[in-house]
Amino acid sequence: MVFQMADERKKILQQAQNDNNNNNPIPPPFDVMVLHYEDYEKDFSKTMHRLLDFLEQPAQAEPREFSPGHEYNTYYSKKDKQHIQTMIQRMASPTTWDALKHYF
């Protein structure tokens, strides 16, 4: 069963990659909201409410205090970052890559 699921995932990923290579991204079957970390840094409250509205969920409690400015530039090596960028670029649709590429 595990191997069958892995094979199915490989087929889906291969089809997505083929579609991306042909510049025909697979349209998502659901609504999408793009949030960037910078949105939280700029206006945490507004971003949180946008997200809750998008999810059609009420706030359950006061959120923990947001502490912006954390940097993780030294967490991965330069080579690791290049591999991560390549993987994401290959797997992402053009729309998704356009939303993510500014992190690289």
Side-chain angles (χ1 to χ4, degrees), residues 31 33 35 48-58:
D31 293 332
M33 178 181 188
L35 288 176
M48 180 189 69
H49 285 98
R50 274 186 56 221
L51 178 58
L52 289 172
D53 288 346
F54 177 78
L55 297 172
E56 298 177 354
Q57 295 294 313

Side-chain angles (χ1 to χ4, degrees), residues 1-7 9:
M1 182 66 172
V2 172
F3 294 112
Q4 181 180 2
M5 290 175 65
D7 288 341
R9 268 195 306 259

Side-chain angles (χ1 to χ4, degrees), residues 3 11 34 36 51 53 61 83:
F3 294 112
K11 287 178 188 176
V34 176
H36 293 283
L51 178 58
D53 288 346
H83 289 298

Side-chain angles (χ1 to χ4, degrees), residues 22-41:
N22 294 328
N23 226 0
N24 296 320
I26 300 171
F30 44 81
D31 293 332
V32 174
M33 178 181 188
V34 176
L35 288 176
H36 293 283
Y37 180 80
E38 296 83 14
D39 298 334
Y40 287 101
E41 282 187 314

Side-chain angles (χ1 to χ4, degrees), residues 6-79:
D7 288 341
E8 289 175 20
R9 268 195 306 259
K10 284 180 187 176
K11 287 178 188 176
I12 291 168
L13 289 173
Q14 183 62 47
Q15 181 62 46
Q17 185 176 15
N18 290 341
D19 288 345
N20 286 341
N21 290 340
N22 294 328
N23 226 0
N24 296 320
I26 300 171
F30 44 81
D31 293 332
V32 174
M33 178 181 188
V34 176
L35 288 176
H36 293 283
Y37 180 80
E38 296 83 14
D39 298 334
Y40 287 101
E41 282 187 314
K42 189 191 304 184
D43 192 336
F44 176 79
S45 181
K46 181 180 176 182
T47 302
M48 180 189 69
H49 285 98
R50 274 186 56 221
L51 178 58
L52 289 172
D53 288 346
F54 177 78
L55 297 172
E56 298 177 354
Q57 295 294 313
Q60 297 293 317
E62 284 297 313
R64 292 182 179 179
E65 185 176 337
F66 179 69
S67 178
H70 296 284
E71 302 248 346
Y72 302 96
N73 292 334
T74 60
Y75 190 78
Y76 295 103
S77 71
K78 185 175 180 178
K79 187 175 181 179

Side-chain angles (χ1 to χ4, degrees), residues 16-27 88-101:
Q17 185 176 15
N18 290 341
D19 288 345
N20 286 341
N21 290 340
N22 294 328
N23 226 0
N24 296 320
I26 300 171
I88 291 173
Q89 198 170 2
R90 287 182 180 171
M91 293 181 70
S93 70
T95 303
T96 301
W97 175 244
D98 192 49
L100 294 175
K101 67 184 176 187

